[in-house]
Amino acid sequence: MKFIENKRSREAEAWLKKEIVEQKRRYRKIVAEQEALTPKRDKWIAEFLQRIQTRGVHTHYDQMRKVRPEEIPVKPKRKFKVVF
Amino acid sequence: MARPHIEPFVDRDVPFKKMTLPGFPKGMQYKMLSLDTDNGASSMTVLFEPGYKQPPGMSYTEYELFIMSGSITIGEKVWGPGSYVFVPAGVALEALSSPRGATGLIFYNYGEPSFVESDSDHPQAERDRYAAVNAYDNLHWTSTNFFPATAPGCMVKILRFDPRTHGFTFMYCMTPNFWQDNISYHDCSEEAYHIWGTSWMMQFGDLPTGGYFWRPPYINHGAFASKLGILAIGRTDTLLYNHFHFNPWTNIEENQERAASRILHRNPEMYKWINTHGHNHPIDFEFDHGHAHGDRAHHHGDGMVEHKHKKKRRRR
């Protein structure tokens, strides 16, 4: 039994409503912050794609394999986002 | 669980608020980390003010409490930093107090925070599921035991494991100079809070002390690194499987397709059976069939997962 059915009080309804509004605001702020991180992220991704060709990519625990240049993915034209 | 993707969020940037929901005694404050907009399930940083006193009582939802600093007393026993308590729905917790104050994390898993004063359990309570442990003092660090596994230097202490969903709550750490060069996603939602330390992820940047995320399934995260190491608490709602890859630009749909394709190759017979027409709702002999409660997604060969069952008449 994870939850016992009960009638939500009016106070709880109001509390929830307020928290949802605040969460929406928090979410929008995160999206904006992550959008602003794009130039740094692009650099990190470029470095990662280099590293996995020289040092390798982790496949399991300490096992790694070097990725061949022809396996390196190409950035698609669609909009890229990290927060969904 | 209907929670948005909250990542990253640092609770140090926001002040505590007084808990004003009915039933809760004065002296409890919180910072909301994330909440389910449908059922009110909430993850919160919590502050018990010095002198806080809570009478014996229960919650309508199961909840988990982890103490980060200070201490609380439950009944006669004092629980300091690293203490973890899992309280099933309806189980009356003994009187709780915090003479000198404490901070912690609290997770109300299936409904909004609730507290009903009571010195006896609700008739539907499952007291045998109650669990309490001091994870700092009484649990060992182990390797992650997930296959494929995270890189060496990431270790866990399992606090709670749900035998049906395989969801679990765990502490994890990264050793100084930890690094893992791949991208991961999971079939489960994942949540974590940094008790101490900073780690880095290629998508989101640094997650410092007080950093938090609630990440729905199939969202890319990683590569990973931590210069000085971290100590954190994490949770999943179902089995955590590491779908590793190295394409930074895949989206949720592509990751889902890949996960389904992997089931085809990893569990071909199960995949075939799930896709056959007819009654394809798996029955776990240890649990109720589920139709009465609608607790398992299934369809009847028509692909209509969203449906209702008519009540069957009892034969006399």
Side-chain angles (χ1 to χ4, degrees), chain B residues 197-258:
Chain B
T198 299
S199 70
W200 169 89
M201 272 183 281
M202 189 166 70
Q203 293 76 10
F204 310 105
D206 283 341
L207 193 68
T209 300
Y212 169 83
F213 64 81
W214 172 278
R215 183 189 306 127
Y218 304 112
I219 293 176
N220 282 336
H221 53 286
F224 312 84
S226 179
K227 196 175 177 187
L228 298 174
I230 64 149
L231 177 66
I233 187 164
R235 304 194 321 142
T236 71
D237 55 357
T238 53
L239 175 75
L240 186 146
Y241 181 87
N242 288 317
H243 291 283
F244 290 150
H245 66 111
F246 54 86
N247 187 338
W249 300 295
T250 59
N251 60 25
I252 287 179
E253 289 74 25
E254 286 162 339
N255 289 348
Q256 275 175 326
E257 283 275 352
R258 179 170 175 262

Side-chain angles (χ1 to χ4, degrees), chain B residues 7-83:
Chain B
E7 180 172 26
F9 171 64
V10 183
D11 77 348
R12 301 293 159 111
D13 301 341
V14 299
F16 278 105
K17 295 188 285 191
K18 285 184 177 167
M19 173 53 80
T20 55
L21 279 169
F24 285 92
K26 281 183 183 168
M28 179 179 171
Q29 299 185 30
Y30 72 99
K31 298 178 184 185
M32 183 59 74
L33 299 171
S34 73
L35 94 159
D36 187 311
T37 54
D38 291 338
N39 64 16
S42 306
S43 300
M44 312 187 300
T45 315
V46 67
L47 166 73
F48 297 114
E49 294 171 9
Y52 179 76
K53 281 184 182 171
Q54 179 181 295
M58 54 147 262
S59 168
Y60 289 114
T61 170
E62 66 176 36
Y63 65 96
E64 301 168 66
L65 172 64
F66 182 85
I67 299 299
M68 292 193 285
S69 68
S71 66
I72 57 169
T73 305
I74 300 174
E76 301 291 316
K77 193 165 167 44
V78 176
W79 296 92
S83 296

Side-chain angles (χ1 to χ4, degrees), chain B residues 7-296:
Chain B
E7 180 172 26
F9 171 64
V10 183
D11 77 348
R12 301 293 159 111
D13 301 341
V14 299
F16 278 105
K17 295 188 285 191
K18 285 184 177 167
M19 173 53 80
T20 55
L21 279 169
F24 285 92
K26 281 183 183 168
M28 179 179 171
Q29 299 185 30
Y30 72 99
K31 298 178 184 185
M32 183 59 74
L33 299 171
S34 73
L35 94 159
D36 187 311
T37 54
D38 291 338
N39 64 16
S42 306
S43 300
M44 312 187 300
T45 315
V46 67
L47 166 73
F48 297 114
E49 294 171 9
Y52 179 76
K53 281 184 182 171
Q54 179 181 295
M58 54 147 262
S59 168
Y60 289 114
T61 170
E62 66 176 36
Y63 65 96
E64 301 168 66
L65 172 64
F66 182 85
I67 299 299
M68 292 193 285
S69 68
S71 66
I72 57 169
T73 305
I74 300 174
E76 301 291 316
K77 193 165 167 44
V78 176
W79 296 92
S83 296
Y84 168 82
V85 185
F86 172 77
V87 187
V91 165
L93 192 68
E94 291 176 277
L96 182 153
S97 63
S98 184
R100 295 187 175 185
T103 63
L105 296 165
I106 196 159
F107 307 99
Y108 291 93
N109 290 340
Y110 293 93
E112 74 276 8
S114 58
F115 181 77
V116 180
E117 195 175 332
S118 171
D119 53 10
S120 60
D121 291 350
H122 188 281
Q124 294 177 52
E126 294 172 342
R127 177 162 282 276
D128 58 306
R129 292 177 62 229
Y130 175 86
V133 66
N134 187 307
Y136 289 173
D137 296 340
N138 298 321
L139 295 178
H140 289 285
W141 291 111
T142 64
S143 59
T144 52
N145 289 330
F146 318 138
F147 293 88
T150 47
C154 179
M155 289 171 282
V156 294
K157 294 185 179 194
I158 307 298
L159 302 173
R160 188 180 76 92
F161 175 76
D162 185 317
R164 189 176 197 191
T165 64
H166 288 205
F168 67 126
T169 303
F170 53 101
M171 296 200 66
Y172 67 101
C173 71
M174 292 175 186
T175 52
N177 273 331
F178 173 81
W179 56 277
Q180 180 177 314
D181 260 341
N182 58 20
I183 297 164
S184 186
Y185 64 85
H186 314 296
D187 305 297
C188 59
S189 294
E190 189 179 22
E191 178 178 34
Y193 180 92
H194 274 203
I195 298 164
W196 179 87
T198 299
S199 70
W200 169 89
M201 272 183 281
M202 189 166 70
Q203 293 76 10
F204 310 105
D206 283 341
L207 193 68
T209 300
Y212 169 83
F213 64 81
W214 172 278
R215 183 189 306 127
Y218 304 112
I219 293 176
N220 282 336
H221 53 286
F224 312 84
S226 179
K227 196 175 177 187
L228 298 174
I230 64 149
L231 177 66
I233 187 164
R235 304 194 321 142
T236 71
D237 55 357
T238 53
L239 175 75
L240 186 146
Y241 181 87
N242 288 317
H243 291 283
F244 290 150
H245 66 111
F246 54 86
N247 187 338
W249 300 295
T250 59
N251 60 25
I252 287 179
E253 289 74 25
E254 286 162 339
N255 289 348
Q256 275 175 326
E257 283 275 352
R258 179 170 175 262
S261 161
R262 297 181 121 199
I263 291 177
L264 169 63
H265 294 285
R266 210 175 52 221
N267 304 88
E269 288 306 313
M270 189 208 293
Y271 185 89
K272 206 189 304 177
W273 183 77
I274 289 172
N275 272 297
T276 56
H277 286 235
H279 188 268
N280 60 357
H281 167 195
I283 301 163
D284 184 335
F285 62 83
E286 284 190 316
F287 298 94
D288 289 342
H289 189 135
H291 279 180
H293 313 290
D295 68 342
R296 303 297 295 165

Side-chain angles (χ1 to χ4, degrees), chain A residues 9-70:
Chain A
S9 66
R10 267 194 300 181
E11 292 95 328
E13 280 292 356
W15 180 86
L16 196 56
K17 216 170 164 180
K18 204 174 155 194
E19 289 293 342
I20 289 170
V21 170
E22 285 183 20
Q23 179 161 270
K24 279 182 183 163
R25 198 179 303 136
R26 199 155 62 238
Y27 177 82
R28 284 195 296 269
K29 188 168 176 272
I30 289 169
V31 170
E33 285 168 355
Q34 288 301 307
E35 190 66 34
L37 203 62
T38 299
K40 277 188 182 174
R41 185 183 301 113
D42 287 347
K43 188 172 163 276
W44 293 335
I45 288 174
E47 288 168 354
F48 168 75
L49 293 175
Q50 277 302 314
R51 275 200 313 275
I52 61 174
Q53 295 178 73
T54 52
R55 192 167 65 176
V57 63
H58 277 100
T59 54
H60 166 64
Y61 198 55
D62 58 353
Q63 294 174 21
M64 299 180 78
R65 78 165 180 95
K66 285 181 185 169
V67 176
R68 296 187 304 275
E70 61 270 28

